[in-house]
Amino acid sequence: MDQVIELFTVVGLGVALMLPLANPLTSVTLLLSLGRTLSIQERNRQITQATIYVVAIMLITYFSGHWVMQSFGISIPGLRIAGGLIVAFIGFTMLFPTHAVDDIPEAEANADAAARRKPINIAFVPLALPGTAGPGTIAFIISAAASTRPGTVPYSTLTLMLAPVIVFIVLGAIFWVCLRYAGRIVKIIGEGGVEAIARVMGFLLVCMGVQFLINGILEIVTQYAA
């Protein structure tokens, strides 16, 4: 029973930390902008595809991201600092938006295809990447994976193996619901509500990015001090 409570606690914490970073509302905006010419059946099919892509990207990043870092000689402090800069930048762009959705290169390419009446697939780009599983999300996952190894945190090995999988599936489910009911969400909270939520999440991302930078710098100082 204690292990089940521990698992739910870690899963809840993981979802709370990653939801502002993943920010499904970004993909909702992209879908409403780029999916206007898609039929309901085609839109639903691509939403399901995008959900699978998001979960797959997160799982692959968590379980093999550290190996990729080692292959390229990237240190954990370097990753934290780079990830912090990326996350903070994303947060600032959400707090002070200067570009519309149509200004995103991926969005522009897909919009051009839509204008030519050709069937477009927006499931992977830009809905999954960089819409939800973007650079900030990937950097956070790799950093979290390196920081939550058995023995470094007071959680069992089983919890550390199961929790990330459940967190990513839950985030994928939230992503799917947001996209499937994108029109209703906008009608309920309005465009102003979407913008307000995006700015609150942007502020949280700036705070997380600054904390990443602090942690990375402190690790470097500790290494040199030793």
Side-chain angles (χ1 to χ4, degrees), residues 171-220:
L171 289 173
I174 295 173
F175 174 82
W176 183 87
V177 170
C178 287
L179 264 63
R180 191 68 183 266
Y181 300 99
R184 295 184 185 180
I185 291 174
V186 173
K187 285 182 181 179
I188 292 173
I189 64 178
E191 293 184 5
V194 173
E195 184 178 350
I197 293 174
R199 296 202 176 201
V200 170
M201 290 185 172
F203 175 73
L204 294 175
L205 290 184
V206 172
C207 295
M208 292 170 62
V210 172
Q211 189 60 52
F212 281 0
L213 287 170
I214 293 172
N215 293 342
I217 293 171
L218 286 177
E219 285 189 32
I220 293 175

Side-chain angles (χ1 to χ4, degrees), residues 106-121:
E106 294 87 355
E108 185 178 349
N110 283 285
D112 289 343
R116 294 193 298 269
R117 298 292 182 180
K118 291 183 179 180
I120 58 173
N121 191 311

Side-chain angles (χ1 to χ4, degrees), residues 125-143:
V125 176
L127 293 185
L129 182 73
T132 294
T137 305
I138 291 173
F140 178 84
I141 291 174
I142 295 177
S143 179

Side-chain angles (χ1 to χ4, degrees), residues 59-110:
L59 285 172
I60 293 172
T61 300
Y62 185 85
F63 288 105
S64 63
H66 186 68
W67 174 80
V68 173
M69 285 176 51
Q70 288 183 330
S71 300
F72 286 93
I74 303 172
S75 66
I76 296 299
L79 174 71
R80 291 191 198 280
I81 294 174
L85 291 172
I86 293 172
V87 171
F89 175 76
I90 294 173
F92 275 118
T93 58
M94 292 172 65
L95 269 174
F96 310 106
T98 56
H99 300 285
V101 172
D102 293 335
D103 293 331
I104 300 174
E106 294 87 355
E108 185 178 349
N110 283 285

